[in-house]
Amino acid sequence: MDKLTLANLPTKIYKLGRLSRELDANIYIKRDDQTGSEFSGNKIRKLEYVVKDALDKGCNLLITCGGIQSNHCRATVSVAAYLGLKSAVLLRISDNPPVRGNYFLDKLMGADVKFCTQDEYRHHRNEIMEEMAREYRQQGYKPYVIPEGASNAIGVMGYYNCMDEILRQEKETGITFDTIVVATGSGGTYAGLYLANELKKTGKRIIGMAVCDNTEYFTEIAYDIATGALEYLPEHAGARIDKTHIEINDKYVGIGYALSRPEELEFIKKTARLEGLVLDPVYTGKAMYGVFNELQKGGNLSHRNNILFIHTGGLYGLFPISESFTW
Ligand SMILES: *Cc1c(COP(=O)(O)O)cnc(C)c1O
């Protein structure tokens, strides 16, 4: 499948030496938070495919949705501005939010912003975006609606193909990663890696650390998205993918999406000081906290294996909660 070239690829992989030593483990990190600055994070790999589809269809306006501090919305808005397209975002929020972090960047890069409540978002976000698209069409725009997280059959190609990048890096370094761990919020990143692992028979464990919802929910979502993506992979026509290989760990959701517990913030502080590595509070902080706990408590991760953690970004979402840290 054709794509745009937007992300700085390949992203580097290195070992987190001090964290590994502390846990008597081998933890490597892949810096997908360094795919760009405006473009930073995992969403850009998906948008390379999704926005290519939008351009192929002659669209000149990107519409998408997310939480107030959505990295996906900010990435979409920045891609739109970079390509000279208009953008509009539907943001979930209870009242008029302070202009900070990703939301500040959305405004800075000229997105139209529409707000909705938690409830409207949960049950009607796709209808609301379609309604927005209808209104823009009346104004003469040609809109393209991107679902939450760009987690659809096209967006999934971003991480399906990221697996090839990882396999090349394994060859170059001589290190084989037995286990890949990634934070899971809308499921597309996980689905891409899982699909690649199935079709390319790479035999890894692909673990999704849920940051909302639960294991059953994401197992269905990941399987559905991965199955849908088979349509775009004619070379794998008729291939079977094994749902029982899906591994979602929902033990580290904590108190809910985008809500932080003190121990999670302490962990973000710890890794920042130990490794010069800044994790975000919504996704990677929770996911790496999960890895840390699973290793420390003799949980479900093996010390003998080479674990590759994908840093999926989210830095801008850390600044709006700086006041929550204690020093
Ligand atoms: C969106 C996001 C994720 C989760 O990816 P999904 O494909 O939505 O599951 C993880 N980390 C960060 C920083 C994100 O913005």
Side-chain angles (χ1 to χ4, degrees):
M1 237 181 127
D2 279 353
K3 69 174 188 77
L4 302 174
T5 298
L6 300 170
N8 291 323
L9 302 178
T11 56
K12 69 178 168 189
I13 293 178
Y14 61 91
K15 188 171 184 176
L16 295 175
R18 284 172 294 274
L19 191 67
S20 293
R21 220 168 300 134
E22 181 175 328
L23 292 164
D24 185 26
N26 296 308
I27 306 170
Y28 293 82
I29 192 156
K30 183 166 176 61
R31 297 299 300 266
D32 273 18
D33 57 319
Q34 296 179 352
T35 45
S37 45
E38 297 86 352
F39 291 176
S40 82
N42 61 334
K43 301 310 179 307
I44 204 72
R45 287 193 193 257
K46 308 189 211 186
L47 290 169
E48 288 191 327
Y49 290 89
V50 172
V51 179
K52 174 73 168 75
D53 188 49
L55 293 180
D56 287 349
K57 292 186 167 132
C59 297
N60 57 12
L61 161 63
L62 304 180
I63 300 176
T64 197
C65 63
I68 185 68
Q69 284 300 330
S70 167
N71 300 302
H72 164 66
C73 287
R74 180 258 312 146
T76 302
V77 169
S78 61
V79 169
Y82 176 76
L83 296 172
L85 313 176
K86 189 176 171 61
S87 63
V89 290
L90 175 67
L91 298 177
R92 180 187 60 215
I93 187 67
S94 40
D95 49 27
N96 213 9
V99 183
R100 286 197 294 229
N102 284 299
Y103 174 48
F104 165 65
L105 292 173
D106 294 343
K107 307 249 308 174
L108 192 68
M109 291 185 280
D112 282 358
V113 177
K114 186 180 172 71
F115 294 126
C116 68
T117 64
Q118 299 270 1
D119 214 51
E120 287 168 333
Y121 188 90
R122 179 168 276 276
H123 301 293
H124 305 293
R125 60 177 177 269
N126 292 325
E127 288 121 279
I128 299 172
M129 287 196 290
E130 284 308 327
E131 180 56 37
M132 290 164 70
R134 257 195 303 281
E135 286 167 17
Y136 282 112
R137 241 176 249 120
Q138 280 167 9
Q139 297 170 36
Y141 285 101
K142 202 150 182 233
Y144 185 94
V145 175
I146 301 173
E148 181 182 65
S151 287
N152 61 9
I154 300 177
V156 105
M157 292 302 150
Y159 277 88
Y160 177 78
N161 286 307
C162 177
M163 183 66 97
D164 288 335
E165 185 178 305
I166 293 169
L167 296 176
R168 276 195 302 275
Q169 289 174 305
E170 284 188 338
K171 267 216 190 82
E172 282 161 23
T173 57
I175 301 160
T176 302
F177 304 108
D178 323 86
T179 306
I180 298 178
V181 182
V182 71
T184 299
S186 64
T189 303
Y190 181 87
L193 293 167
Y194 156 73
L195 182 64
N197 195 46
E198 290 293 296
L199 297 183
K200 299 174 204 285
K201 310 220 179 305
T202 31
K204 300 180 188 305
R205 277 179 79 187
I206 313 289
I207 301 177
M209 290 287 184
V211 302
C212 53
D213 297 295
N214 60 28
T215 298
E216 292 69 35
Y217 173 83
F218 280 122
T219 303
E220 292 305 318
I221 293 274
Y223 189 71
D224 285 354
I225 302 175
T227 309
L230 283 171
E231 178 195 334
Y232 296 97
L233 297 166
E235 68 274 28
H236 290 290
R240 289 183 160 275
I241 56 174
D242 187 340
K243 196 173 177 178
T244 66
H245 292 167
I246 296 177
E247 266 195 75
I248 304 287
N249 183 331
D250 62 4
K251 284 193 292 187
Y252 301 95
V253 173
I255 54 175
Y257 180 78
L259 300 172
S260 296
R261 295 179 292 170
E263 56 268 45
E264 293 161 8
L265 299 180
E266 278 305 306
F267 182 73
I268 289 173
K269 200 199 283 179
K270 175 190 170 72
T271 48
R273 293 171 180 199
L274 191 64
E275 296 282 358
L277 172 73
V278 181
L279 300 168
D280 82 291
V282 183
Y283 297 96
T284 55
K286 287 184 180 182
M288 186 65 102
Y289 186 61
V291 170
F292 183 82
N293 276 276
E294 291 293 316
L295 284 167
Q296 203 183 34
K297 295 177 184 158
N300 160 284
L301 279 175
S302 167
H303 288 263
R304 280 172 295 125
N305 290 348
N306 294 324
I307 297 165
L308 181 66
F309 182 89
I310 302 187
H311 191 328
T312 40
L315 179 61
Y316 300 121
L318 185 61
F319 294 98
I321 68 150
S322 60
E323 300 293 321
S324 310
F325 283 79
T326 50
W327 309 108

